[in-house]
Amino acid sequence: MVILEQEQAEDWWEVEALFDLCFAPGREALSSYRLREGVPPVSRLCLVAREDGIVTGAIRVWPVRVGGYPAALIGPVAVHPTHQGEGLGALMIRDVIERAGKIGWHRLLLVGDAPYYGRFGFNRLDGVEMPPPTNPDRVLGLGEWTSVHGQVVRAAGASAPPAHQGITSSGP
């Protein structure tokens, strides 16, 4: 039986090992990692999936800003190769979407395959620019993106939900 729970500090290295297993070497050279450097993740949205005490999946979420608006950048998302195709990735994505809405993150962003993430409601974001060399067709969003455009930038010190930062999720 798989248990999904919030990632704890002591899970960090086991989760990192899973990411290393699931992604190509040099994953930290990707442009999305520049947005994460020196910024704490949104801990309440970082989850691990465990089966018999072993991490079988993980998802992390980071605060960013787009055109002055707060957003939550989902990723990386990984499922251990022995558990791929079992719906664990979908379970984690759905859970993050639900938790994000409950704690005030109403603008979610990720870089991924539209056919896969479209089933969760993510759509291509025209006018939202991830750092290069990100393919614009893979920049997807869910939530309150009307009239939001611009570059995705680091949001140091912004890991609390937007309402707790003295700003609303609907404007700068």
Side-chain angles (χ1 to χ4, degrees):
M1 170 185 232
V2 173
I3 297 170
L4 194 59
E5 58 192 6
Q6 183 176 325
E7 181 182 344
Q8 301 299 312
E10 58 269 15
D11 298 324
W12 182 265
W13 293 112
E14 194 172 3
V15 170
E16 285 295 309
L18 177 64
F19 291 154
D20 286 343
L21 176 67
C22 293
F23 297 106
R27 68 180 168 89
E28 293 180 353
L30 296 172
S31 59
S32 58
Y33 276 83
R34 301 301 71 80
L35 298 169
R36 300 173 184 144
E37 287 178 345
V39 178
V42 182
S43 60
R44 292 174 67 187
L45 300 180
C46 295
L47 307 175
V48 293
R50 292 184 184 279
E51 185 173 59
D52 298 325
I54 305 296
V55 171
T56 56
I59 186 170
R60 287 191 177 142
V61 180
W62 306 83
V64 294
R65 293 188 72 75
V66 180
Y69 294 86
L73 175 62
I74 298 173
V77 180
V79 174
H80 193 281
T82 61
H83 290 274
Q84 290 177 1
E86 298 176 359
L88 185 53
L91 174 70
M92 291 188 299
I93 291 290
R94 285 188 184 101
D95 200 79
V96 163
I97 292 168
E98 182 180 336
R99 289 175 189 233
K102 287 181 180 178
I103 65 169
W105 289 98
H106 302 294
R107 195 172 292 106
L108 305 177
L109 171 71
L110 58 78
V111 176
D113 297 321
Y116 179 82
Y117 290 104
R119 64 185 169 147
F120 307 109
F122 285 88
N123 295 301
R124 184 173 185 266
L125 292 175
D126 291 317
V128 173
E129 302 169 28
M130 285 289 289
T134 307
N135 178 345
D137 291 336
R138 295 176 51 82
V139 179
L140 309 176
L142 174 69
E144 301 170 4
W145 288 97
T146 305
S147 302
V148 177
H149 60 276
Q151 291 186 328
V152 180
V153 297
R154 291 173 67 243
S159 61
H164 298 156
Q165 299 172 43
I167 55 178
T168 66
S169 59
S170 59

